[in-house]
Amino acid sequence: MAQAMLKPSLQGEVEADVEIKAPATKFYHMFAVRPQDVSKASPGNVQRCSVQDGEMGRVGTHVTWNYFHDGKPKFARETIEEVDPKKNMIRFRVIEGDLMEEFKSFIFTIQVTPKQGGPGGVVKWNMSYERIDENVAHPESLLNVCVKMAKDIDEMLLSKE
């Protein structure tokens, strides 16, 4: 599940694989096309998601997330840096919000790989970051929020089939 690749420097990376039963492309579309539905699927983790500038699924688009982390409401404004529909992959760079108080840079990558020969797949969450100093914790607890959110999204997608 969650795996940390902690480096002695201020830079780091954490990632988790989450098995899903829903089709990989449908899961990918929740983030690349319809992120506003993430709050419907996982209201305990995400309050709201809105597209600020641009068009969802396009590089350069700004997306704002209102979410819960460590029991507190937070927000992040992100820019879509990369989209690859063939690989079911989307990458967001955080440009504003609560994470920027503790991190110089923070990048989320979501990639969904279809399961060979059957339904479902594997969601890979990857967070690469640079902390502002050694006192800032690595973001494993935020990764756990993403894992819970993935499971909620999977359940919602399965209920619609």
Side-chain angles (χ1 to χ4, degrees), residues 20 22-38 49 51 56-57 65 80 83-90 92 110-112 123 153 156-157:
I20 59 170
T25 53
K26 286 188 178 183
F27 192 99
Y28 164 75
H29 278 252
M30 286 287 285
F31 289 92
V33 180
R34 303 198 47 80
Q36 64 274 17
D37 289 346
V38 172
C49 176
V51 176
M56 202 53 213
W65 296 87
I80 298 176
V83 178
D84 189 338
K86 290 179 183 171
K87 292 182 178 177
N88 294 324
M89 189 275 293
I90 189 163
F92 299 92
I110 305 162
Q111 184 169 5
V112 192
V123 178
I153 291 167
M156 185 182 98
L157 292 172

Side-chain angles (χ1 to χ4, degrees), residues 3-7 9-15 93-94 99-100 102-108 126-133 136-140 142-143:
Q3 204 176 33
M5 290 173 270
L6 307 179
K7 300 175 183 174
S9 72
L10 297 175
Q11 295 180 339
E13 196 172 322
V14 293
E15 62 182 34
R93 176 179 293 275
V94 179
L99 287 171
M100 295 291 89
E102 297 181 315
F103 297 91
K104 291 179 184 176
S105 66
F106 206 101
I107 298 171
F108 288 93
N126 178 285
M127 299 174 185
S128 58
Y129 53 88
E130 183 176 358
R131 301 174 294 154
I132 58 170
D133 63 39
V136 173
H138 294 277
E140 286 98 344
L142 183 58
L143 184 63

